[in-house]
Amino acid sequence: MFASLPLTALRAFESASRLLSFKAAAEELSVTPTAVSHQIRSLENWLGVPLFERLPRQVRLTECGERLFRSLHGALLEVAQSVDTLRPQRSGTNLTISTTAAFAALWLVPRLGRFYARHPNISLRLDTHCEVIDLHQDASVDLVVRYSLDDYPNLYGLCLFDEFFGVYGSPEQVALAASRVPTLISVRWHNSKLYAHGWEAWCAQSGETWLAAQPVVREYDEEHYALQAAIAGQGLVLASNILVSESVASGLLLPYRGDIQVDGAGYSALCVPGRERHPPVRAFFAWLQEEALLSGHALIPVS
């Protein structure tokens, strides 16, 4: 069966699909664009279905092409990772994780010491840029932790946390809030609707009339800045129970009206199907599951 597979054509197809460019695939494979085009055309003839739509300045996968790429990309990753584990000269393994700066600073990094202690040979790199990474096209990232309302049917992963938003402040600010209108601390996200009506929803549930009194509102671009402002006693912050957990556990912040909660989105740990079997990724998933359980949050497989 394997002898009849057009392996060279499949490799050219995987590269062109991941890069969405015959020219870029040719550069990656050290061949000409004409050779890549010929290999893909021969694969389409062998399969009897079109794999790409040829547009004037780009190529786009057809539905059949998407199906083939998902399975082929995962299979090639698994083969490459299996071969890599057989190389005796490797004393350690790299693991690259992409996530938000806030999640890294407020939840992940404070716990990473336990991961390093358990897996001293894994070299972990955190990528906290804001750009959303397409894991099927960027092989440099092993795993992402994303914050979203969306599902990810084409990725393997875990839905990490049931999140809600509450109001938190320093002990002094929480004590004063019952007798005066506090300064409100919020987060300004250019790509999220979650904060747009967060204070309105929380005040509506709690019956607090702070917004009608036109309070001072201080906005920050990142959650960790907003939490630091609250810790410093500058006001009350509307914050995720996930990201505020360390500050609450240490007594730096207290919940105000802790029974009032606004639903948030969710955090998911995700990778390309097949990569979850790569030893460093498998180790990180297992550790992440333990940490989430220690934090009192359940994990649910998403695929």
Side-chain angles (χ1 to χ4, degrees):
M1 177 180 67
F2 293 111
S4 64
L5 289 174
L7 297 178
T8 302
L10 286 169
R11 181 68 185 91
F13 166 76
E14 190 276 338
S15 181
S17 301
R18 175 166 37 82
L19 301 171
L20 288 179
S21 168
F22 288 6
K23 181 181 179 181
E27 293 175 355
E28 181 177 78
L29 299 173
S30 299
V31 298
T32 66
T34 301
V36 170
S37 180
H38 175 75
Q39 289 290 342
I40 291 173
R41 185 69 71 182
S42 68
L43 180 60
E44 290 176 322
N45 292 335
W46 188 76
L47 292 170
V49 294
L51 299 173
F52 285 97
E53 295 179 44
R54 276 76 169 176
L55 304 174
R57 294 184 177 274
Q58 61 179 325
V59 292
R60 184 167 59 203
L61 286 167
T62 64
E63 183 178 350
C64 291
E66 288 277 6
R67 289 172 54 195
L68 179 60
F69 173 67
R70 287 197 296 268
S71 59
L72 180 62
H73 183 62
L76 288 177
L77 273 176
E78 188 170 359
V79 170
Q81 291 158 1
S82 296
V83 170
D84 202 40
T85 61
L86 299 177
R87 298 172 63 189
Q89 69 271 23
R90 291 177 62 88
S91 59
T93 310
N94 296 324
L95 179 66
T96 299
I97 298 170
S98 173
T99 188
T100 66
F103 183 78
L106 297 172
W107 194 91
L108 184 58
V109 170
R111 294 168 168 81
L112 275 180
R114 292 191 284 269
F115 179 80
Y116 294 139
R118 185 178 302 180
H119 303 285
N121 292 328
I122 296 179
S123 176
L124 189 149
R125 184 180 75 87
L126 282 178
D127 179 351
T128 58
H129 292 92
C130 295
E131 294 81 6
V132 176
I133 293 173
D134 186 340
L135 289 175
H136 287 289
Q137 297 191 37
D138 190 344
S140 67
V141 175
D142 297 289
L143 183 149
V144 299
V145 179
R146 287 182 179 166
Y147 178 73
S148 176
L149 294 165
D150 300 328
D151 295 323
Y152 301 96
N154 298 327
L155 296 173
Y156 170 88
L158 295 172
C159 178
L160 297 178
F161 308 117
D162 293 325
E163 185 192 54
F164 60 83
F165 285 79
V167 172
Y168 301 86
S170 66
E172 295 77 14
Q173 286 292 316
V174 167
L176 291 172
S179 59
R180 70 175 189 181
V181 176
T183 296
L184 306 184
I185 300 172
S186 190
V187 179
R188 184 195 307 112
W189 284 355
H190 66 276
N191 62 345
S192 174
K193 300 177 182 178
L194 293 174
Y195 275 96
H197 304 292
W199 275 111
E200 289 89 341
W202 187 90
C203 287
Q205 288 190 37
S206 66
E208 297 284 359
T209 59
W210 297 339
L211 297 180
Q214 297 183 332
V216 175
V217 178
R218 306 194 189 281
E219 292 186 318
Y220 293 88
D221 290 332
E222 295 285 351
E223 291 97 324
H224 47 295
Y225 300 144
L227 291 193
Q228 286 301 315
I231 290 170
Q234 297 173 18
L236 297 184
V237 64
L238 181 70
S240 159
N241 66 310
I242 305 303
L243 300 185
V244 82
S245 59
E246 287 292 299
S247 298
V248 170
S250 63
L252 294 173
L253 292 176
L254 298 177
Y256 176 77
R257 303 280 305 271
D259 57 318
I260 309 299
Q261 303 171 2
V262 177
D263 290 339
Y267 287 89
S268 298
L270 306 157
C271 68
V272 172
R275 186 165 281 194
E276 76 276 6
R277 294 189 287 275
H278 188 36
V281 177
R282 185 172 64 243
F284 191 81
F285 267 120
W287 172 81
L288 193 59
Q289 184 170 12
E290 290 182 18
E291 289 295 328
L293 291 173
L294 285 173
S295 301
H297 307 292
L299 286 91
I300 304 169
V302 297
S303 65

